[in-house]
Amino acid sequence: LGAIPFIIIGLFMHSIIVPPASLLSLLVMVFFILFSALLHYYLFAIIAITAFWAQQTWGPRFLIRVILEVGTGALVPLSFIPGCIGVVLRFLPFKFFAQIPIQIYLGQLSQSAIFYYFIELTVWLLLVGICSHLLYKRGLRIYGAVGG
């Protein structure tokens, strides 16, 4: 659904939009975005699954949203964030939601860097997906529905 407004805006502002470095970089970026969307889903599924144990999940969801705002590199490039906070944010998977796809689109990453980030994204996706699945199975064991 979000693509429709971007396409409409793109039609009106086509003169200021930076074209991709190449067709291949555009395709690789789309591939990364699809994997990143799946990672995003699993991260928020884990937060939603905590509802099996807690009555309110608003706090953790708000916290992860705030961390995502900074950690994606969309507001401020992660290389500008100094010290241990920058190191932690570069380690976390949030960079795959904005910074890495943008760098791929602009052709700022080498093939070896793209391959490395693809492996890292795949590992994060597997870890978070497995964690989500295990938490869901565990939550179902304690779930009790009541009603008429």
Side-chain angles (χ1 to χ4, degrees):
L1 292 176
I4 295 169
F6 283 114
I7 291 170
I8 292 170
I9 291 169
L11 292 174
F12 290 108
M13 303 184 81
H14 68 280
S15 61
I16 63 170
I17 294 176
V18 176
S22 68
L23 181 61
L24 181 62
S25 64
L26 179 65
L27 294 173
V28 172
M29 181 204 67
V30 168
F31 186 74
F32 264 76
I33 288 174
L34 292 174
F35 267 52
S36 298
L38 193 55
L39 179 63
H40 188 272
Y41 168 80
Y42 280 130
L43 283 171
F44 279 89
I46 288 172
I47 304 250
I49 289 168
T50 62
F52 283 122
W53 294 275
Q55 292 193 4
Q56 292 290 332
T57 61
W58 182 85
R61 283 186 306 173
F62 178 76
L63 179 63
I64 195 94
R65 282 275 176 216
V66 169
I67 293 170
L68 275 174
E69 288 296 322
V70 176
T72 60
L75 295 176
V76 176
L78 294 178
S79 58
F80 288 2
I81 301 173
C84 63
I85 293 174
V87 171
V88 169
L89 288 177
R90 284 187 287 278
F91 171 75
L92 293 173
F94 305 137
K95 64 183 170 263
F96 295 112
F97 301 143
Q99 182 168 332
I100 301 301
I102 289 169
Q103 288 179 329
I104 292 170
Y105 179 86
L106 296 174
Q108 295 177 346
L109 296 176
S110 66
Q111 289 179 349
S112 60
I114 292 171
F115 181 73
Y116 169 79
Y117 283 129
F118 173 72
I119 298 298
E120 185 181 349
L121 176 58
T122 304
V123 168
W124 273 112
L125 189 56
L126 288 171
L127 289 174
V128 173
I130 290 168
C131 181
S132 172
H133 179 75
L134 294 175
L135 284 172
Y136 178 73
K137 291 291 187 187
R138 187 170 212 169
L140 282 180
R141 279 191 257 141
I142 65 163
Y143 177 70
V146 193

